[in-house]
Amino acid sequence: MMNVTGILETVLYATDLDAVEQFYEEILGLEKLYRDPKRQVFFRCGNAMLLIFNPEETVKKSENAPLPVPAHGALGNGHVCFRASAVEIEQWYNRLSAHGIEIESDFEWPNGGRSIYFRDPAGNSLEFAEPRIWGLE
């Protein structure tokens, strides 16, 4: 039987690509790999990719013939959880707070592990959590 071995890309949606580009680069420190002014911005996130698409553009079929990506998109706020150790979560808490970013929730899971939740400029729900909340290390 074949098994999926991991996630390569995660996608969030935002209409203001300038605001999310600045947030993910300057606040979260992700490396930007590509930006199309109206359609998308791509970031390296560890050994995976975080893609931010403008839903007003990605519902249209790609005009790039060599890369025939089908039209796709989503409406509403998405969610991504970034892996972090307990020490890193405390550091992220302090960094986000210093930049005026509201921490919406900060708690210990019943089975162990801490999570903090906050939002990006598009309203997407972001989280830093210890992998042990899912029994992962």
Side-chain angles (χ1 to χ4, degrees):
M1 176 175 175
M2 294 178 60
N3 294 309
V4 175
T5 60
I7 294 174
L8 179 62
E9 302 171 350
T10 298
V11 176
L12 293 174
Y13 292 87
T15 55
D16 187 345
L17 294 179
D18 293 333
V20 294
E21 178 180 14
Q22 180 180 5
F23 177 84
Y24 285 94
E25 274 190 307
E26 295 179 14
I27 305 297
L28 297 189
L30 296 182
E31 175 190 1
K32 179 179 63 181
L33 294 184
Y34 176 76
R35 164 79 191 262
D36 177 285
K38 295 188 323 183
R39 189 176 175 85
Q40 61 216 11
V41 59
F42 299 162
F43 298 97
R44 181 183 309 280
C45 185
N47 64 351
M49 295 295 297
L50 176 62
L51 312 179
I52 312 288
F53 289 131
N54 179 346
E56 295 170 354
E57 295 297 321
T58 58
V59 295
K60 303 172 190 173
K61 184 178 177 186
S62 174
E63 295 176 10
N64 185 345
L67 302 171
V69 176
H72 60 285
L75 300 175
N77 300 330
H79 172 72
V80 170
C81 179
F82 299 104
R83 174 188 295 256
S85 69
V87 170
E88 291 168 331
I89 290 171
E90 187 63 28
Q91 293 169 341
W92 279 114
Y93 183 98
N94 293 333
R95 178 174 175 79
L96 295 166
S97 297
H99 282 87
I101 297 166
E102 176 188 358
I103 305 299
E104 292 184 334
S105 187
D106 177 1
F107 64 94
E108 295 282 335
W109 289 88
N111 59 340
R114 181 181 177 192
S115 283
I116 60 172
Y117 289 82
F118 57 101
R119 302 246 172 210
D120 74 7
N124 291 302
S125 174
L126 305 179
E127 175 185 8
F128 281 107
E130 294 178 72
R132 64 188 177 129
I133 70 170
W134 290 108
L136 305 171
E137 294 302 323

